[in-house]
Amino acid sequence: MAEKDILVKVENLKMYFPVEKTILGKVTSYVKAVDDVSFAVERGKTFGLVGESGCGKTTTGKCVLRINTPTDGHIYYKGKDISHASKSELAPIRREIQLIFQDPYGSLDPRQSAYSIIKEAIVTDGKPHTRDEIDKRVNELLATVEMIPEMGECYPHEMSGGQRQRLGIARALACNPELIVCDEPVSALDVSIQAQVINLFKSLQKQLGLTYIFIAHDLAVVRYIADTIGVMYLGHIVEIMDAGEIYTNPVHPYTKALLSAVPITDYYAEQTRQRILLEGEVPSPIHAPKGCPFHPRCRYAKECCKTTMPKLKDIGGGHLVACHLNGPSRT
Ligand code: SF4
């Protein structure tokens, strides 16, 4: 990926939250929500982040949005390091980086109509707008997310889950963003509505040249929308690959275990395929295991896995894997 094509680059990102302090205020332990995460997102493409709940994918998204200020590492947006940028330095790019939430109902003001919610986002540019201009733009945005103009009069509680998520998308688009961080945007929706909303994301990307960081725990959803996929486990990225490779060439044992849990519609293939059942619980991020964070649950773990953290290595064609055994496929 050429440097000029990169919209966002995350380098060695760490986000630690203090959990215990001594009586003198000295921090004695941290939740290491994100620990040494690096990836790049190409302009106009989708980077999918997958992993179990609590693996750090949402915290990574919040750092990119600068809702959280990282403990360490760098976040480059259009080549500029914004990891520790001040409020005033962030102001010009706030509108360019938008967020779409998992729970659209919780993220919309129940006392405002759809019109008013979208209008609020339009006028944050600080420019003077006439009533006609705002009406036109609101109707345009409703049409973009495939809603009729009359829906502008509705309140969030009068809408279905899918309509509320479309309203959330329209609100994000009102700021003319370049990057949208989508945090589990379809996981609260019915399966049939999920497909419609994902197709909407795809068509908006084509029309408007948007770049997405798409966070989800459902590999099938991420594979459908993403160009590149990063798999996270306990605050670390353990594998990065082209979306097309996730079913054909997964290498990290954790990615394989995740894949084996994805239901498939072919009855005979489902009967014969080998399920990989992970034993044990995800360790606490406060007392993360030494070495490879996956070693307590990995059936391939060797002595070195308990002491040495594997680094992400390119195994060919930009496919990165953090495993001491990386190489040929194992089942
Ligand atoms: Fe398993 Fe070791 Fe690879 Fe970690 S580094 S995934 S423990 S084989």
Side-chain angles (χ1 to χ4, degrees):
M1 194 189 309
E3 202 66 29
K4 66 174 176 42
D5 297 329
I6 295 175
L7 185 67
V8 181
K9 192 171 174 185
V10 171
E11 263 180 18
N12 309 110
L13 182 71
K14 292 182 182 171
M15 187 69 230
Y16 296 173
F17 297 100
V19 280
E20 277 175 31
K21 286 182 180 174
T22 62
I23 203 159
L24 296 173
K26 190 172 174 241
V27 179
T28 53
S29 60
Y30 296 89
V31 170
K32 295 181 176 177
V34 179
D35 202 4
D36 207 9
V37 160
S38 301
F39 62 88
V41 189
E42 199 176 338
R43 213 178 277 269
K45 303 277 183 190
T46 302
F47 183 82
L49 261 184
V50 280
E52 290 164 294
S53 298
C55 69
K57 37 191 205 307
T58 295
T59 309
T60 304
K62 283 183 173 175
C63 289
V64 172
L65 285 154
R66 274 301 317 278
I67 293 170
N68 291 337
T69 300
T71 310
D72 200 4
H74 302 279
I75 300 157
Y76 297 96
Y77 175 70
K78 293 184 177 172
K80 188 179 170 209
D81 189 353
I82 59 163
S83 50
H84 288 85
S86 65
K87 243 180 172 180
S88 58
E89 287 168 328
L90 286 172
I93 59 166
R94 278 281 181 225
R95 286 174 58 84
E96 291 181 20
I97 310 178
Q98 290 294 307
L99 171 65
I100 292 173
F101 298 88
Q102 173 177 11
D103 174 13
Y105 201 34
S107 68
L108 300 169
D109 183 347
R111 292 163 304 172
Q112 290 194 59
S113 64
Y115 176 93
S116 164
I117 289 169
I118 299 174
K119 177 187 158 192
E120 203 174 60
I122 294 171
V123 299
T124 54
D125 64 2
K127 294 177 191 159
H129 296 276
T130 64
R131 171 79 198 216
D132 281 353
E133 280 170 356
I134 292 174
D135 286 354
K136 191 168 166 242
R137 182 77 178 126
V138 170
N139 287 339
E140 248 174 44
L141 287 163
L142 286 172
T144 307
V145 296
E146 297 160 6
M147 285 165 92
I148 54 173
E150 288 72 23
M151 291 300 295
E153 304 306 317
C154 295
Y155 287 80
H157 72 272
E158 298 172 308
M159 297 177 167
S160 67
Q163 287 168 338
R164 281 196 285 266
Q165 195 53 291
R166 286 172 194 272
L167 174 57
I169 298 170
R171 177 178 60 181
L173 295 179
C175 299
N176 297 318
E178 294 202 28
L179 171 69
I180 302 184
V181 178
C182 311
D183 187 6
E184 302 267 14
V186 294
S187 53
L189 306 176
D190 292 343
V191 175
S192 58
I193 308 297
Q194 280 189 4
Q196 291 175 13
V197 174
I198 291 173
N199 285 333
L200 176 63
F201 275 116
K202 282 193 130 185
S203 91
L204 291 174
Q205 184 169 50
K206 234 180 180 176
Q207 279 174 49
L208 307 170
L210 296 169
T211 306
Y212 299 134
I213 294 179
F214 198 95
I215 296 167
H217 63 270
D218 186 339
L219 262 181
V221 167
V222 174
R223 189 215 173 197
Y224 181 65
I225 191 163
D227 298 287
T228 309
I229 295 178
V231 180
M232 281 193 83
Y233 184 78
L234 211 65
H236 301 268
I237 287 196
V238 295
E239 187 160 8
I240 296 180
M241 75 210 103
D242 279 352
E245 277 197 84
I246 189 131
Y247 282 105
T248 56
N249 189 25
V251 173
H252 196 281
Y254 178 62
T255 311
K256 289 184 172 189
L258 276 185
L259 267 174
S260 88
V262 175
I264 48 177
T265 48
D266 181 334
Y267 174 79
Y268 296 103
E270 178 69 41
Q271 295 304 306
T272 51
R273 78 169 166 159
Q274 190 191 358
R275 296 291 299 271
I276 303 171
L277 293 176
L278 290 179
E279 286 172 12
E281 296 290 319
V282 181
S284 159
I286 304 176
H287 306 290
K290 280 208 171 105
C292 171
F294 189 56
H295 86 254
R297 303 172 79 195
C298 179
R299 54 175 158 160
Y300 304 107
K302 317 186 278 185
E303 262 325 292
C304 69
C305 303
K306 297 178 187 166
T307 52
T308 314
M309 169 76 84
K311 290 206 175 340
L312 270 178
K313 279 188 220 142
D314 193 334
I315 60 163
H319 186 156
L320 307 175
V321 184
C323 174
H324 290 306
L325 299 181
N326 68 20
S329 256
R330 297 171 301 275
T331 53

